[in-house]
Amino acid sequence: MSEEKDIETTAAFYGQLFNSSKYVLLVVLVATAIGLYVLLNINATYAVIILLALTLIKIGFIIALSFNQLMKIIGQSHLLSHVLVLFGFLIVLIVFSFAIDYTALHLFDSAHFKINNSSGSNRLLAFFDMSYFSLITFSSVGYGDIVPITVTAKTLVALEVALRFFVLVFGIANVNRIRVNK
């Protein structure tokens, strides 16, 4: 094995994935704390601008993680199971990250979203509603029971859809270089 770990083994793969994603997870957690606690106490206009900036930073980190990890998997292990774990991790990370952003935006002002059977100002129920909305948006189903109303909310939704498109298309474009476990 060289200086860079061989990720052919499962233990090395998970160790390398966790090591590579620790900064992304840290950025998501810091952005979560800022979005749900700090931004609620400042001017709404500044809070929305900061929320969008934090979202763009998170997107950059997630894209870098997906690109770097997929290249390492393809370059070193070529295993389909490793690619599936990576994409499962990325999907959960994206859905959770945007659920936090939607929740923060909803808690700033509930007028950002039209919600049938609204949860009101209860943070836990708002997070559940926005997690559901983020998952439905990621899967591109769109039932219409939660609808973004403002430009800010629509921008966040467009960013989630664009990130989903990038991550999935990038993975599919490299599928011919992946080896299926037998």
Side-chain angles (χ1 to χ4, degrees):
M1 287 200 282
S2 64
E3 186 70 28
E4 195 167 298
K5 272 189 172 175
D6 179 14
I7 62 170
E8 182 75 32
T9 65
T10 301
F13 166 72
Y14 285 115
Q16 195 272 330
L17 177 62
F18 176 74
N19 192 41
S20 296
S21 62
K22 65 185 171 190
Y23 295 113
V24 176
L25 293 172
L26 180 64
V27 167
V28 169
L29 290 175
V30 168
T32 297
I34 291 171
L36 292 179
Y37 299 104
V38 176
L39 294 183
L40 294 177
N41 299 318
I42 65 174
N43 181 304
T45 304
Y46 295 127
V48 166
I49 292 169
I50 293 169
L51 180 66
L52 288 173
L54 288 172
T55 301
L56 290 173
I57 291 168
K58 289 189 294 186
I59 287 172
F61 273 87
I62 291 170
I63 288 173
L65 175 68
S66 63
F67 178 76
N68 292 335
Q69 284 299 116
L70 191 58
M71 289 300 104
K72 284 182 182 179
I73 290 170
I74 290 171
Q76 294 178 19
S77 78
H78 306 284
L79 295 176
L80 178 62
S81 60
H82 290 174
V83 173
L84 294 175
V85 167
L86 172 63
F87 280 101
F89 175 71
L90 288 171
I91 288 167
V92 168
L93 187 63
I94 291 167
V95 168
F96 175 77
S97 175
F98 277 92
I100 293 294
D101 294 342
Y102 297 142
T103 303
L105 194 60
H106 177 68
L107 292 175
F108 293 154
D109 184 1
S110 60
H112 287 287
F113 295 94
K114 181 183 130 247
I115 303 176
N116 296 338
N117 300 324
S118 177
S119 57
S121 61
N122 182 326
R123 286 181 181 217
L124 187 59
L125 291 175
F127 177 69
F128 177 77
D129 284 345
M130 293 303 149
S131 296
Y132 161 79
F133 176 68
S134 182
L135 184 63
I136 295 302
T137 300
F138 188 89
S139 66
S140 70
V141 173
Y143 291 123
D145 53 344
I146 302 175
V147 180
I149 301 297
T150 64
V151 171
T152 305
K154 291 176 183 178
T155 301
L156 282 176
V157 169
L159 288 172
E160 182 176 11
V161 170
L163 182 58
R164 178 210 61 200
F165 179 78
F166 172 80
V167 168
L168 294 180
V169 167
F170 183 69
I172 292 169
N174 290 290
V175 79
N176 63 337
R177 298 166 57 187
I178 299 167
R179 182 178 73 215
V180 177
N181 302 350
K182 293 184 181 182

